[in-house]
Amino acid sequence: MTWWEWLLDVCGALLLLCVLYGVGLIVRRRLLSRDGGTFELSHRLRATTPERGWVLGLGRYSGERLEWFRVFTLSRRPRRSWRRDELSYDGRRAPAGTEQASLYPDHLVIRCQSPDGLVELAMSVSSLTGFQAWLEAQPPGTDWNRTKGL
């Protein structure tokens, strides 16, 4: 086998891996959507540098939890998860500076408080409406005095 035949085989194998990865991402998104509607939800993992640290992802409501999945991974497990009774809505703002290029188009940055501290999410206006309704629709017996910022 000559060097160019070997190179052609390697390129073909890499192309096959890229196609399989793309198909895997599509199948994963379908499987996640099957268990409940998903929506585009970015999460700021690192807040140490202003306007940086954003990771694109998908959000899904699963009972009393909001689950966050990274977009470009094949894992079916959520990377982060927040309980409804531990989150409080703190406000929203438009993306600033480099955030506009890091986030999905027309998304707003949402600030929430949790026992672990500040949580910054980015979602569309329609997803924000659903998020606020989900936060407010707490089950019977909820201590409404504890929930602030709605």
Coordinates of all heavy atoms in Angstrom, one line a residue, residues 80-146:
R80 N -25.7 19.8 34.5 CA -26.1 20.5 35.7 C -27.6 20.3 35.9 O -28.3 20.1 35.0 CB -25.8 22.0 35.6 CG -24.3 22.5 35.6 CD -23.6 22.3 36.9 NE -24.3 22.8 38.0 CZ -24.2 24.0 38.6 NH1 -23.4 24.8 38.1 NH2 -24.8 24.3 39.7
S81 N -28.0 20.5 37.1 CA -29.4 20.4 37.5 C -29.7 21.3 38.6 O -28.9 21.4 39.6 CB -29.7 18.9 37.8 OG -31.0 18.7 38.1
W82 N -30.9 22.0 38.6 CA -31.3 22.8 39.7 C -32.7 22.5 40.1 O -33.6 22.3 39.3 CB -31.3 24.3 39.2 CG -29.9 24.8 38.8 CD1 -28.9 25.2 39.6 CD2 -29.4 24.8 37.5 NE1 -27.8 25.6 38.8 CE2 -28.1 25.3 37.5 CE3 -30.0 24.5 36.2 CZ2 -27.3 25.5 36.4 CZ3 -29.2 24.7 35.1 CH2 -27.9 25.2 35.2
R83 N -33.0 22.4 41.4 CA -34.3 22.2 41.9 C -35.1 23.5 41.9 O -34.6 24.6 42.1 CB -34.2 21.7 43.4 CG -33.7 20.3 43.5 CD -33.6 19.8 44.9 NE -34.8 20.1 45.7 CZ -35.9 19.4 45.8 NH1 -35.9 18.2 45.1 NH2 -37.0 19.7 46.5
R84 N -36.4 23.3 41.6 CA -37.3 24.5 41.4 C -37.3 25.3 42.7 O -37.3 26.5 42.7 CB -38.7 24.0 41.0 CG -39.6 25.2 40.9 CD -41.1 24.9 40.6 NE -41.4 23.5 40.3 CZ -42.4 23.2 39.5 NH1 -43.0 24.1 38.9 NH2 -42.7 22.0 39.3
D85 N -37.4 24.6 43.9 CA -37.6 25.4 45.1 C -36.2 26.0 45.6 O -36.2 26.7 46.6 CB -38.1 24.4 46.2 CG -37.3 23.2 46.5 OD1 -36.3 23.0 45.8 OD2 -37.6 22.5 47.5
E86 N -35.1 25.7 44.9 CA -33.9 26.3 45.3 C -33.5 27.5 44.4 O -32.4 28.1 44.6 CB -32.8 25.3 45.3 CG -32.9 24.2 46.3 CD -31.9 23.1 46.3 OE1 -31.1 23.1 45.3 OE2 -31.8 22.3 47.2
L87 N -34.2 27.7 43.3 CA -33.9 28.8 42.4 C -34.8 30.0 42.6 O -36.0 29.8 42.9 CB -34.1 28.3 40.9 CG -33.0 27.6 40.3 CD1 -33.4 27.3 38.8 CD2 -31.7 28.4 40.2
S88 N -34.3 31.2 42.5 CA -35.1 32.4 42.5 C -34.7 33.3 41.4 O -33.5 33.5 41.3 CB -35.1 33.1 43.9 OG -33.8 33.5 44.2
Y89 N -35.6 33.8 40.7 CA -35.3 34.7 39.5 C -34.9 36.0 40.1 O -35.5 36.6 40.9 CB -36.6 34.8 38.7 CG -36.5 35.7 37.5 CD1 -35.8 35.4 36.4 CD2 -37.1 37.0 37.6 CE1 -35.7 36.2 35.3 CE2 -37.0 37.8 36.5 CZ -36.3 37.4 35.4 OH -36.2 38.3 34.3
D90 N -33.8 36.5 39.5 CA -33.2 37.8 40.0 C -33.1 38.9 39.0 O -32.7 40.0 39.3 CB -31.7 37.4 40.4 CG -31.3 38.1 41.7 OD1 -32.2 38.6 42.4 OD2 -30.1 38.2 42.0
G91 N -33.5 38.6 37.7 CA -33.6 39.6 36.7 C -33.0 39.2 35.4 O -32.5 38.0 35.3
R92 N -33.0 40.0 34.4 CA -32.5 39.7 33.1 C -31.8 40.9 32.5 O -32.1 42.1 33.0 CB -33.6 39.3 32.2 CG -34.6 40.4 31.8 CD -35.7 39.8 30.9 NE -36.6 40.9 30.5 CZ -37.6 40.8 29.8 NH1 -38.0 39.6 29.4 NH2 -38.4 41.8 29.4
R93 N -31.0 40.7 31.5 CA -30.3 41.8 30.8 C -30.0 41.3 29.4 O -30.0 40.1 29.1 CB -29.1 42.2 31.5 CG -28.0 41.1 31.6 CD -26.7 41.6 32.3 NE -25.8 40.5 32.5 CZ -24.9 40.0 31.6 NH1 -24.9 40.5 30.4 NH2 -24.1 39.1 31.9
A94 N -29.7 42.2 28.5 CA -29.2 41.9 27.2 C -27.8 41.4 27.2 O -27.0 41.9 28.1 CB -29.4 43.1 26.3
P95 N -27.3 40.5 26.4 CA -25.9 40.2 26.3 C -25.1 41.4 26.0 O -25.5 42.2 25.2 CB -25.9 39.1 25.2 CG -27.2 38.7 25.0 CD -28.1 39.8 25.4
A96 N -23.9 41.5 26.6 CA -23.0 42.6 26.4 C -21.7 42.1 25.7 O -21.2 41.1 26.1 CB -22.7 43.2 27.8
G97 N -21.2 43.0 24.9 CA -19.9 42.7 24.2 C -19.8 41.4 23.6 O -20.6 41.0 22.7
T98 N -18.8 40.6 24.0 CA -18.5 39.3 23.4 C -19.6 38.3 23.7 O -19.6 37.2 23.0 CB -17.1 38.8 23.8 OG1 -17.1 38.7 25.2 CG2 -16.0 39.7 23.4
E99 N -20.4 38.5 24.7 CA -21.5 37.6 24.9 C -22.4 37.4 23.7 O -22.9 36.3 23.5 CB -22.3 38.0 26.1 CG -21.6 37.9 27.5 CD -22.5 38.4 28.6 OE1 -23.2 39.4 28.4 OE2 -22.4 37.8 29.7
Q100 N -22.6 38.4 23.0 CA -23.5 38.4 21.8 C -23.0 37.3 20.8 O -23.8 36.7 20.2 CB -23.6 39.7 21.1 CG -24.3 40.8 22.0 CD -24.2 42.2 21.4 OE1 -23.5 42.4 20.4 NE2 -25.0 43.1 21.9
A101 N -21.7 37.2 20.7 CA -21.2 36.1 19.8 C -21.1 34.8 20.4 O -21.1 33.8 19.7 CB -19.8 36.5 19.3
S102 N -21.1 34.7 21.7 CA -21.0 33.4 22.4 C -22.4 32.7 22.6 O -22.4 31.5 22.8 CB -20.4 33.6 23.8 OG -19.2 34.2 23.7
L103 N -23.5 33.5 22.5 CA -24.8 32.9 22.8 C -25.6 32.8 21.5 O -25.3 33.3 20.5 CB -25.5 33.8 23.8 CG -24.8 34.0 25.1 CD1 -25.5 35.1 25.9 CD2 -24.8 32.7 25.9
Y104 N -26.7 32.0 21.7 CA -27.7 31.9 20.6 C -28.2 33.3 20.3 O -28.3 34.2 21.1 CB -28.8 31.0 20.9 CG -28.5 29.6 21.1 CD1 -28.5 29.0 22.3 CD2 -28.2 28.8 20.0 CE1 -28.2 27.6 22.5 CE2 -27.9 27.4 20.1 CZ -27.9 26.8 21.4 OH -27.6 25.5 21.5
P105 N -28.6 33.6 19.0 CA -29.2 34.9 18.7 C -30.5 35.2 19.5 O -31.3 34.3 19.7 CB -29.5 34.8 17.2 CG -28.8 33.6 16.7 CD -28.5 32.7 17.9
D106 N -30.7 36.4 19.8 CA -31.9 36.9 20.5 C -32.1 36.3 21.9 O -33.3 36.2 22.3 CB -33.2 36.7 19.6 CG -33.1 37.4 18.3 OD1 -32.5 38.5 18.3 OD2 -33.6 36.9 17.3
H107 N -31.1 35.9 22.5 CA -31.2 35.3 23.9 C -30.9 36.4 24.9 O -30.1 37.3 24.6 CB -30.3 34.2 24.1 CG -30.8 32.9 23.6 ND1 -30.5 31.7 24.2 CD2 -31.8 32.6 22.7 CE1 -31.1 30.7 23.6 NE2 -31.9 31.2 22.7
L108 N -31.5 36.3 26.0 CA -31.3 37.2 27.2 C -30.5 36.5 28.2 O -30.7 35.3 28.4 CB -32.7 37.6 27.7 CG -33.6 38.4 26.8 CD1 -35.0 38.6 27.5 CD2 -33.0 39.8 26.5
V109 N -29.8 37.2 29.0 CA -29.0 36.7 30.1 C -29.9 36.8 31.4 O -30.4 37.8 31.7 CB -27.7 37.4 30.3 CG1 -27.0 36.9 31.6 CG2 -26.8 37.3 29.1
I110 N -30.1 35.6 32.0 CA -31.0 35.5 33.2 C -30.2 35.3 34.4 O -29.3 34.4 34.4 CB -32.0 34.3 33.0 CG1 -32.7 34.4 31.7 CG2 -33.0 34.3 34.2 CD1 -33.4 35.6 31.3
R111 N -30.4 36.1 35.5 CA -29.7 35.9 36.7 C -30.6 35.2 37.7 O -31.8 35.6 37.9 CB -29.3 37.2 37.3 CG -28.2 37.9 36.4 CD -27.9 39.3 36.9 NE -27.6 39.3 38.3 CZ -26.3 39.3 38.8 NH1 -25.3 39.3 38.0 NH2 -26.1 39.4 40.1
C112 N -30.2 34.2 38.4 CA -30.9 33.5 39.4 C -30.0 33.2 40.6 O -28.8 33.2 40.5 CB -31.4 32.1 38.9 SG -32.5 32.2 37.5
Q113 N -30.6 33.1 41.7 CA -29.9 32.8 43.0 C -30.3 31.3 43.4 O -31.4 30.9 43.2 CB -30.3 33.7 44.1 CG -29.9 35.2 43.9 CD -28.4 35.3 43.9 OE1 -27.6 34.6 44.5 NE2 -27.9 36.3 43.1
S114 N -29.3 30.6 43.8 CA -29.4 29.3 44.3 C -28.6 29.2 45.6 O -27.8 30.0 45.9 CB -29.0 28.3 43.3 OG -27.6 28.2 43.2
P115 N -28.8 28.1 46.3 CA -27.9 27.9 47.5 C -26.4 27.9 47.2 O -25.6 28.2 48.1 CB -28.4 26.5 48.1 CG -29.8 26.4 47.6 CD -29.8 27.0 46.2
D116 N -26.1 27.5 46.0 CA -24.6 27.5 45.6 C -24.2 28.9 45.1 O -23.0 29.0 44.8 CB -24.4 26.5 44.5 CG -24.8 25.1 44.9 OD1 -24.6 24.8 46.1 OD2 -25.2 24.3 44.1
G117 N -25.0 29.9 45.1 CA -24.7 31.2 44.6 C -25.4 31.6 43.4 O -26.4 31.1 43.0
L118 N -24.8 32.5 42.6 CA -25.3 33.1 41.4 C -25.3 32.0 40.3 O -24.3 31.4 40.1 CB -24.5 34.3 41.0 CG -25.0 35.0 39.7 CD1 -26.3 35.6 39.8 CD2 -23.9 36.0 39.3
V119 N -26.4 32.0 39.6 CA -26.6 31.1 38.4 C -26.9 32.0 37.2 O -27.9 32.7 37.3 CB -27.6 30.0 38.6 CG1 -27.8 29.2 37.3 CG2 -27.3 29.1 39.8
E120 N -26.1 32.0 36.2 CA -26.5 32.8 35.0 C -26.8 31.9 33.8 O -26.0 31.0 33.5 CB -25.3 33.7 34.6 CG -25.2 34.9 35.5 CD -24.2 35.9 35.0 OE1 -23.0 35.5 34.8 OE2 -24.6 37.1 34.8
L121 N -28.0 32.1 33.3 CA -28.5 31.3 32.1 C -28.8 32.3 31.0 O -29.0 33.5 31.2 CB -29.7 30.5 32.5 CG -29.6 29.6 33.8 CD1 -31.0 29.1 34.2 CD2 -28.7 28.5 33.5
A122 N -28.8 31.8 29.8 CA -29.3 32.6 28.7 C -30.3 31.8 27.9 O -30.1 30.6 27.6 CB -28.1 32.9 27.8
M123 N -31.4 32.5 27.6 CA -32.5 31.8 26.9 C -33.3 32.8 26.1 O -33.1 34.1 26.3 CB -33.4 31.1 27.9 CG -34.1 32.0 28.9 SD -35.1 31.1 30.2 CE -33.8 30.4 31.2
S124 N -34.2 32.4 25.3 CA -35.0 33.3 24.5 C -36.1 33.9 25.3 O -36.4 33.4 26.4 CB -35.6 32.5 23.3 OG -36.6 31.5 23.8
V125 N -36.8 34.9 24.8 CA -37.9 35.5 25.6 C -39.0 34.5 25.8 O -39.6 34.5 26.9 CB -38.4 36.8 24.8 CG1 -39.6 37.4 25.5 CG2 -37.3 37.8 24.7
S126 N -39.4 33.7 24.8 CA -40.5 32.7 25.0 C -40.1 31.7 26.0 O -40.9 31.2 26.8 CB -40.9 32.1 23.7 OG -39.8 31.5 23.1
S127 N -38.8 31.3 26.0 CA -38.3 30.3 27.0 C -38.3 30.9 28.4 O -38.6 30.2 29.4 CB -36.9 29.8 26.7 OG -36.9 29.1 25.5
L128 N -38.0 32.2 28.5 CA -38.0 32.9 29.8 C -39.5 32.9 30.4 O -39.6 32.7 31.6 CB -37.5 34.3 29.6 CG -37.6 35.2 30.9 CD1 -36.9 34.6 32.1 CD2 -37.1 36.6 30.6
T129 N -40.5 33.1 29.5 CA -41.8 33.1 30.0 C -42.2 31.7 30.6 O -42.8 31.6 31.6 CB -42.8 33.4 28.8 OG1 -42.4 34.7 28.3 CG2 -44.2 33.4 29.3
G130 N -41.8 30.7 29.9 CA -42.0 29.3 30.4 C -41.2 29.1 31.7 O -41.7 28.4 32.6
F131 N -40.0 29.6 31.8 CA -39.2 29.4 33.0 C -39.8 30.1 34.2 O -39.9 29.5 35.2 CB -37.8 30.0 32.7 CG -36.8 30.0 33.9 CD1 -36.3 28.8 34.3 CD2 -36.5 31.1 34.5 CE1 -35.5 28.7 35.4 CE2 -35.6 31.1 35.6 CZ -35.1 29.9 36.0
Q132 N -40.3 31.3 34.0 CA -40.9 32.0 35.1 C -42.2 31.3 35.5 O -42.5 31.2 36.7 CB -41.2 33.5 34.7 CG -40.0 34.3 34.6 CD -40.2 35.7 34.0 OE1 -41.0 35.9 33.1 NE2 -39.5 36.7 34.6
A133 N -43.0 30.8 34.5 CA -44.2 30.1 34.9 C -43.9 28.8 35.6 O -44.5 28.4 36.6 CB -45.0 29.7 33.6
W134 N -42.8 28.1 35.2 CA -42.4 26.9 35.9 C -41.9 27.2 37.4 O -42.3 26.5 38.3 CB -41.2 26.3 35.1 CG -40.7 25.0 35.8 CD1 -41.2 23.8 35.8 CD2 -39.4 24.9 36.5 NE1 -40.4 22.9 36.5 CE2 -39.3 23.6 36.9 CE3 -38.4 25.8 36.8 CZ2 -38.1 23.1 37.6 CZ3 -37.3 25.4 37.5 CH2 -37.2 24.1 37.9
L135 N -41.2 28.3 37.5 CA -40.8 28.7 38.9 C -42.0 29.0 39.8 O -42.1 28.7 41.0 CB -39.9 29.9 38.9 CG -38.4 29.7 38.5 CD1 -37.7 31.0 38.4 CD2 -37.7 28.7 39.5
E136 N -43.0 29.7 39.2 CA -44.2 30.2 40.0 C -45.1 29.0 40.3 O -45.9 29.1 41.2 CB -44.9 31.3 39.2 CG -44.1 32.6 39.2 CD -44.8 33.6 38.4 OE1 -45.9 33.3 37.8 OE2 -44.3 34.7 38.3
A137 N -45.1 28.0 39.4 CA -46.1 26.9 39.6 C -45.6 25.8 40.5 O -45.5 24.7 40.2 CB -46.3 26.3 38.2
Q138 N -45.2 26.2 41.7 CA -44.7 25.3 42.7 C -45.9 24.5 43.3 O -47.0 24.9 43.3 CB -44.0 26.0 43.8 CG -42.8 26.7 43.3 CD -41.8 27.2 44.3 OE1 -41.9 26.7 45.5 NE2 -40.9 28.1 44.0
P139 N -45.6 23.3 43.7 CA -46.6 22.3 44.1 C -47.3 22.8 45.4 O -46.8 23.7 46.1 CB -45.9 21.0 44.4 CG -44.5 21.4 44.6 CD -44.3 22.7 43.8
P140 N -48.5 22.3 45.7 CA -49.2 22.6 47.0 C -48.3 22.4 48.2 O -47.5 21.4 48.2 CB -50.4 21.7 47.0 CG -50.6 21.2 45.6 CD -49.2 21.3 44.9
G141 N -48.5 23.2 49.2 CA -47.7 23.1 50.4 C -46.4 23.8 50.4 O -45.6 23.7 51.3
T142 N -46.1 24.5 49.3 CA -44.9 25.3 49.1 C -44.9 26.5 50.1 O -45.9 27.1 50.3 CB -44.7 25.8 47.7 OG1 -44.7 24.6 46.8 CG2 -43.4 26.5 47.5
D143 N -43.8 26.8 50.7 CA -43.6 28.0 51.5 C -43.4 29.2 50.6 O -42.3 29.5 50.2 CB -42.4 27.8 52.5 CG -42.3 29.0 53.4 OD1 -43.1 29.8 53.4 OD2 -41.3 29.0 54.1
W144 N -44.5 29.9 50.3 CA -44.5 31.0 49.4 C -43.7 32.2 49.9 O -43.2 33.0 49.1 CB -45.9 31.4 49.0 CG -46.5 30.4 48.1 CD1 -47.4 29.5 48.5 CD2 -46.3 30.2 46.8 NE1 -47.8 28.7 47.5 CE2 -47.1 29.1 46.4 CE3 -45.5 30.8 45.8 CZ2 -47.1 28.6 45.1 CZ3 -45.5 30.2 44.5 CH2 -46.4 29.2 44.2
N145 N -43.5 32.3 51.2 CA -42.8 33.4 51.8 C -41.3 33.2 51.6 O -40.5 34.2 51.6 CB -43.0 33.5 53.3 CG -44.5 33.9 53.6 OD1 -45.0 34.6 52.9 ND2 -45.0 33.3 54.7
R146 N -40.8 32.0 51.3 CA -39.4 31.7 51.1 C -39.0 32.1 49.7 O -37.9 32.4 49.4 CB -39.2 30.2 51.3 CG -37.7 29.9 51.3 CD -37.5 28.4 51.6 NE -36.3 28.0 50.9 CZ -36.2 27.4 49.8 NH1 -37.3 27.1 49.1 NH2 -35.0 27.1 49.3

